[in-house]
Amino acid sequence: MNQPSARQRQSSSEANYRPGYEIAAELILEYILREGLRPGDRLPTEKELAEAVQMSRTVVREAVKILSALKRLSVQKGRGIYVAEPEDAPWRESFAQFLPADLGQVDQMFEFRRHIESATARLAAQRAVPAQVKALHEAARLSAEAAERNDVEAFARSDEQFHQAVAAAAANMFMSATIESVQRLQRQVSVIGLAGVAGGSLVVAADQHLAIAQAIASGDEEQAVTLMTQHIDMTRQQFQEEIRHRLLSRDEGTHANH
């Protein structure tokens, strides 16, 4: 069942006990979501925003102040109102300090993936709707085709698509955002730590995608968790072995040059 909008909630008896700026703030956030605005995007002028949410400019001005204090909006003098860039995003420090060829940090990344993606697989098995199941099977199929061609770049794209499809089926926006963020770190490992070379068998990984998709489609939570855990563990081991091999080769080359 769809949740009532802020406008509908405003018309209820509850609205009689809510300050106007609070309702306006909620309406502005709904407007940002409805318009698909992202961090850094510019909002309409205060006057236009007031018209869009059907509230007075005075109330909207107060709402903007509140949302700015909460760091949801950024008011830039002479430039306008923007969707704020998150200053305390949990990935900011990770991205700044992450070393894609550092075995310890790569191990931490996969350790985190193991926990978050096993939980995501369980929720996906509980909640996946037919359209999401179809998306899962499609992503798994694409990864299998890329594996057969030994197309590393195409496989990497379909692999990300598959894991994002699992997260979407879990129907939890925080998990989806987390999966997307950790994939960006893994992409760095692939490009820098592995120089774009596959860390292990693409065919085996693709077969695991297909099995996970089937477990989620059948609603088998335990099987989905088991298969996803095995998949992450195998990927983790393959990445570690490949990075270790490359680091050893690099060190040998360095010693030879001396």
Side-chain angles (χ1 to χ4, degrees):
M1 180 180 295
N2 293 330
Q3 294 294 318
S5 67
R7 175 63 62 189
Q8 291 170 323
R9 288 191 292 273
Q10 180 189 3
S11 64
S12 69
S13 58
E14 176 192 4
N16 296 327
Y17 304 95
R18 299 180 66 194
Y21 65 79
E22 182 179 302
I23 297 169
E26 192 172 356
L27 288 167
I28 291 170
L29 293 178
E30 288 183 357
Y31 172 85
I32 291 171
L33 180 64
R34 186 170 63 250
E35 295 298 317
L37 299 180
R38 308 288 293 175
D41 287 348
R42 184 174 180 174
L43 274 72
T45 64
E46 188 179 275
K47 178 177 181 295
E48 293 168 336
L49 194 56
E51 293 174 353
V53 301
Q54 299 178 34
M55 301 286 284
S56 72
R57 288 186 66 179
T58 301
V59 172
V60 165
R61 187 176 300 117
E62 289 300 311
V64 168
K65 288 180 182 177
I66 294 295
L67 292 173
S68 177
L70 293 173
K71 301 188 184 300
R72 294 298 300 270
L73 295 180
S74 172
V75 180
Q76 302 178 22
K77 190 173 182 180
R79 294 190 60 202
I81 307 168
Y82 294 79
V83 180
E85 300 274 0
E87 295 179 358
D88 57 349
W91 297 102
R92 184 178 295 275
E93 186 174 347
S94 299
F95 275 108
Q97 299 183 3
F98 185 62
L99 298 175
D102 184 305
L103 281 172
Q105 292 191 21
V106 171
D107 190 57
Q108 289 179 36
M109 181 198 69
F110 277 107
E111 182 178 61
F112 180 72
R113 273 198 68 187
R114 189 181 198 271
H115 287 284
I116 191 67
E117 295 215 45
S118 61
T120 304
R122 181 181 297 279
L123 289 178
Q126 294 174 3
R127 301 172 176 175
V129 299
Q132 292 167 335
V133 169
K134 182 178 179 182
L136 270 173
H137 283 305
E138 174 65 11
R141 182 186 65 79
L142 290 173
S143 71
E145 291 179 354
E148 288 178 6
R149 301 193 306 272
N150 197 33
D151 188 334
V152 177
E153 290 187 7
F155 181 86
R157 289 193 299 271
S158 58
D159 177 70
E160 289 192 4
Q161 182 181 338
F162 176 78
H163 287 278
Q164 288 168 3
V166 175
N172 185 305
M173 65 179 180
F174 299 103
M175 284 185 166
S176 293
T178 300
I179 297 298
E180 184 177 348
S181 295
V182 80
Q183 282 181 331
R184 292 170 63 189
L185 292 179
Q186 184 167 319
R187 203 175 303 141
Q188 294 181 34
V189 178
S190 297
V191 173
I192 298 173
L194 301 183
V197 176
S201 171
L202 300 184
V203 173
V204 172
D207 287 343
Q208 290 177 330
H209 287 168
L210 293 167
I212 293 167
Q214 185 55 46
I216 291 173
S218 61
D220 190 336
E221 298 176 35
E222 297 306 323
Q223 181 73 346
V225 170
T226 298
L227 292 172
M228 180 63 82
T229 301
Q230 292 174 349
H231 177 58
I232 299 300
D233 285 348
M234 185 199 74
T235 307
R236 176 184 190 174
Q237 181 180 354
Q238 292 174 338
F239 268 61
Q240 288 175 330
E241 289 176 354
E242 185 63 30
I243 291 173
R244 190 177 290 111
H245 173 71
R246 286 178 172 275
L247 290 176
L248 181 61
S249 299
R250 185 191 66 183
D251 292 342
E252 289 176 347
T254 301
H255 291 314
N257 290 331
H258 285 77

